[in-house]
């Protein structure tokens, strides 16, 4: 296919990865519409370019075949790659439909009926990187985490709403607390609401409060967290789990700074700062109609992506030592465990559960008073029975076996029902909310 926008055949320029020690340097790039819509161009001022028909994208493409958040182009140390965001008509690179794919200079990216061209620019950009290696309890010795810390520190000194994004177990709660502790609201309350753990019919009351007799069981008036956190910060964890019918009410609070208790006609002003977190890509949720686009933009004033543990192995020694102290290890126990050989073993692990999995492993090492190989953290081998170690205290061994059973059962149950929670819960004869909680506990994502 020739270049519809001119400039000859696609270039054969090959990306040369940046020095692994300096991931903050990225090559500049340009994305432009060359066919199917009004010509427009975006040139990189950061390492990412979001593309879609919704205002608020870096490159807005006004065509009905382009989804609101269609795809994203990311430039990192491995090279430029495009990732489809669950678009309706898909993303194609040089004639091949992809979910995620690397790009070369001159690649043609087709979104519905629209064709874009990707090209490298002749310059590099340096991304913000914090000079600090810690911040209110956060460990940030590695380059990826110090890059995130640059935005965390900026967020702490401001009043802007923040959306934390990252895999399960990456420490979004600790980051939210650090943002609170590092800012002007530090002496005021910091309250946490887990939007995925509270049944939908109770979440509104949890957030905004209720009047006496507002509903069955409301035997007295209750103050919600928006009132209770007055002057402070509310951390809305797993915001992507918030029921669609409650999202307009949260949006109104963010816009008007007023809340109304359930069962009341009176509105009252509130003064709180919102930090939200999700392990989902909310843009994909918007495309699927499960999350409101206007609420997304209200929450994503500043988006901060947290790197998974496998991308920050240099932080493992400091993280391990800090976690051991936090779970009650004595100084001599910390010194006995934290050897170069032990840290080398930690670096070789993939850590799909991230910092939360690391903490669990360290707890087991502390119980056994020895540096267990990471592979011994597994409760059961695929297709086999749970490993039982008689040296382990009964309660911990029982908990490990239960966790293994729950994880396997819920994974297979959801697979049997196509990821649908309602039929899965009915089949298992458990409450839908409880099944959601089990799935989230074990890092499973129902549809």
């Amino acid at each position: 296919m020739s270049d519809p926008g001119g400039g000859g055949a696609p270039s054969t320029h090959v990306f040369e990865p940046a020095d692994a020690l300096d991931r903050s340097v990225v090559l500049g790039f340009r994305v432009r519409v060359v066919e199917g819509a009004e010509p427009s161009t975006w040139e990189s001022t950061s390492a990412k370019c979001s593309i879609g028909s919704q205002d608020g994208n870096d490159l807005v493409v006004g065509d009905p075949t382009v989804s609101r958040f269609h795809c994203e182009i990311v430039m990192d140390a491995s090279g430029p790659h495009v990732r489809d965001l669950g678009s309706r008509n898909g993303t194609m690179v040089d004639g091949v439909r992809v979910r995620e794919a690397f790009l070369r200079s001159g690649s043609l990216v087709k979104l519905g009926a629209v064709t874009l061209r990707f090209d490298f620019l002749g310059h590099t950009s340096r991304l913000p990187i914090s000079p600090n290696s810690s911040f209110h309890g956060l460990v940030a010795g590695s380059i990826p985490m110090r890059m995130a810390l640059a935005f965390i520190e900026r967020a702490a000194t401001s009043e802007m709403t923040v959306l934390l994004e990252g895999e399960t177990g990456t420490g979004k709660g600790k980051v939210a607390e650090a943002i609170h502790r590092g800012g002007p609201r530090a002496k005021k309350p910091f309250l946490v609401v887990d939007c995925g753990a509270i049944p939908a019919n109770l979440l509104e009351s949890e957030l905004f409060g209720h009047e006496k007799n507002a509903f069955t069981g409301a035997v007295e008036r209750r103050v919600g967290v928006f009132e209770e956190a007055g002057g402070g910060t509310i951390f809305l964890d797993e915001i992507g789990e918030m029921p669609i019918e409650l999202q307009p009410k949260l949006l109104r609070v963010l816009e008007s700074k007023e809340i109304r208790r359930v069962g009341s006609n009176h509105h009252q002003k509130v003064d709180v700062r919102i930090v939200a977190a999700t392990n989902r890509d909310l843009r994909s949720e918007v495309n699927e109609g499960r999350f409101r686009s206007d609420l997304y933009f209200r929450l994503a004033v500043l988006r901060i992506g947290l790197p998974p543990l496998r991308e920050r192995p240099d932080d493992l020694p400091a993280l391990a030592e800090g976690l051991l102290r936090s779970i009650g290890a004595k100084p001599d126990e910390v010194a006995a465990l934290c050897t170069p050989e032990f840290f080398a073993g930690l670096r070789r692990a993939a850590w799909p559960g991230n910092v939360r999995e690391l903490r669990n492993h360290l707890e087991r090492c502390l119980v056994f008073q020895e540096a267990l190989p990471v592979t011994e953290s597994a409760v059961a081998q695929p297709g086999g029975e749970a490993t039982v170690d008689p040296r382990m205290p009964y309660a911990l061994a029982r908990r490990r076996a239960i966790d293994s059973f729950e994880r396997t059962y819920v994974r297979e149950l959801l697979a049997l029902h196509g990821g649908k929670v309602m039929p899965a819960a009915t089949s298992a004869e458990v409450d839908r909310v409880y099944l959601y909680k089990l799935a989230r506990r074990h890092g499973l994502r129902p549809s």
Side-chain angles (χ1 to χ4, degrees):
M1 183 176 184
S2 62
D3 176 9
S11 166
T12 57
H13 181 100
V14 177
F15 174 79
E16 296 180 1
D19 188 332
L21 297 177
D22 195 0
R23 296 190 187 184
S24 63
V25 176
V26 295
L27 188 63
F29 64 94
R30 175 177 61 226
V31 184
R32 57 192 173 99
V33 176
V34 294
E35 187 176 85
E38 288 294 319
S40 58
T41 301
W42 183 88
E43 293 193 358
S44 62
T45 54
S46 68
K48 295 183 179 181
C49 174
S50 64
I51 304 169
S53 59
Q54 173 81 47
D55 288 341
N57 282 286
D58 296 312
L59 179 61
V60 178
V61 181
D63 185 88
T65 64
V66 176
S67 294
R68 285 181 286 187
F69 296 98
H70 200 106
C71 66
E72 179 178 56
I73 294 176
V74 178
M75 176 73 76
D76 59 23
S78 63
H81 49 100
V82 61
R83 181 169 66 91
D84 186 83
L85 298 175
S87 65
R88 183 176 65 254
N89 292 317
T91 299
M92 300 182 70
V93 176
D94 295 329
V96 178
R97 182 160 181 165
V98 301
R99 181 172 296 173
E100 186 167 5
F102 284 101
L103 300 172
R104 60 190 178 90
S105 194
S107 283
L108 298 177
V109 181
K110 191 167 185 178
L111 320 179
V114 177
T115 301
L116 314 176
R117 176 172 168 136
F118 171 89
D119 287 292
F120 291 123
L121 298 176
H123 62 77
T124 60
S125 299
R126 183 172 292 277
L127 303 179
I129 181 169
S130 173
N132 302 312
S133 59
S134 63
F135 183 74
H136 293 281
L138 300 179
V139 173
S142 66
I143 293 296
M145 193 59 195
R146 284 171 58 200
M147 290 170 66
L149 189 58
F151 293 96
I152 292 168
E153 292 170 327
R154 185 183 306 173
T157 59
S158 74
E159 290 287 317
M160 70 179 72
T161 302
V162 178
L163 179 63
L164 303 176
E165 300 172 309
E167 297 177 8
T168 297
T170 48
K172 295 185 285 291
K174 285 188 68 67
V175 171
E177 187 174 0
I179 289 172
H180 171 74
R181 290 171 57 194
R185 297 176 180 261
K187 295 182 179 179
K188 297 294 184 178
F190 174 77
L191 299 183
V192 180
V193 178
D194 189 334
C195 298
I198 301 173
N201 60 328
L202 299 180
L203 185 55
E204 182 177 4
S205 174
E206 178 75 15
L207 292 172
F208 310 129
H210 64 252
E211 298 291 345
K212 183 178 179 179
N213 299 323
F215 49 83
T216 302
V219 296
E220 59 184 5
R221 191 172 83 167
R222 184 186 190 283
V223 172
V225 295
F226 270 88
E227 289 182 78
E228 191 179 351
T233 302
I234 296 176
F235 174 46
L236 297 176
D237 197 11
E238 301 303 346
I239 189 67
E241 306 286 346
M242 177 171 283
I244 191 72
E245 63 270 16
L246 188 54
Q247 293 175 22
K249 298 177 182 180
L250 176 60
L251 177 64
R252 283 195 293 272
V253 174
L254 293 174
E255 290 178 335
S256 67
K257 306 298 182 184
E258 293 182 337
I259 60 106
R260 181 174 64 85
R261 294 193 189 114
V262 178
S264 171
N265 293 320
H266 174 66
H267 289 77
Q268 58 190 98
K269 288 287 186 181
V270 290
D271 173 27
V272 294
R273 194 226 182 130
I274 298 295
V275 178
T278 181
N279 61 2
R280 303 184 179 189
D281 191 321
L282 292 186
R283 296 169 299 180
S284 297
E285 299 296 302
V286 170
N287 287 339
E288 295 293 332
R290 292 190 291 261
F291 205 84
R292 293 177 60 107
S293 61
D294 46 6
L295 178 57
Y296 168 77
F297 284 116
R298 277 287 177 180
L299 293 171
V301 177
L302 175 62
R303 293 170 56 207
I304 301 177
L306 303 183
L309 191 53
R310 61 183 174 274
E311 293 182 3
R312 44 185 297 220
D314 292 344
D315 288 334
L316 279 165
L319 278 171
E321 292 180 11
L323 288 169
L324 283 168
R325 287 192 293 268
S326 73
I327 59 181
K330 299 174 183 177
D332 58 329
E333 293 173 322
V334 174
L337 281 173
C338 295
T339 64
E341 295 75 19
F342 180 60
F343 290 146
L346 297 184
R347 286 190 174 95
R348 287 193 294 269
W351 302 114
N354 293 296
V355 178
R356 186 176 300 146
E357 182 184 358
L358 174 64
R359 180 189 177 96
N360 292 342
H361 175 69
L362 294 173
E363 286 177 344
R364 287 187 282 272
C365 292
L366 193 58
V367 167
F368 291 138
Q369 292 291 295
E370 64 176 292
L372 298 173
V374 177
T375 53
E376 290 191 18
S377 297
V379 176
Q381 298 300 320
E385 295 183 357
T387 301
V388 176
D389 192 323
R391 298 177 300 168
M392 182 180 293
Y394 169 78
L396 182 57
R398 180 176 179 273
R399 181 70 258 166
R400 287 179 63 183
I402 291 173
D403 284 346
S404 177
F405 162 76
E406 286 181 352
R407 181 166 50 250
T408 303
Y409 181 84
V410 174
R411 182 179 64 244
E412 298 302 323
L413 177 68
L414 290 172
L416 182 63
H417 295 278
K420 304 297 183 183
V421 169
M422 184 62 76
T426 302
S427 171
E429 299 182 5
V430 298
D431 182 76
R432 173 179 59 87
V433 174
Y434 180 63
L435 184 57
Y436 262 120
K437 290 174 66 175
L438 286 178
R440 287 188 57 248
R441 180 188 301 166
H442 297 293
L444 303 172
R445 180 180 173 182
S447 59

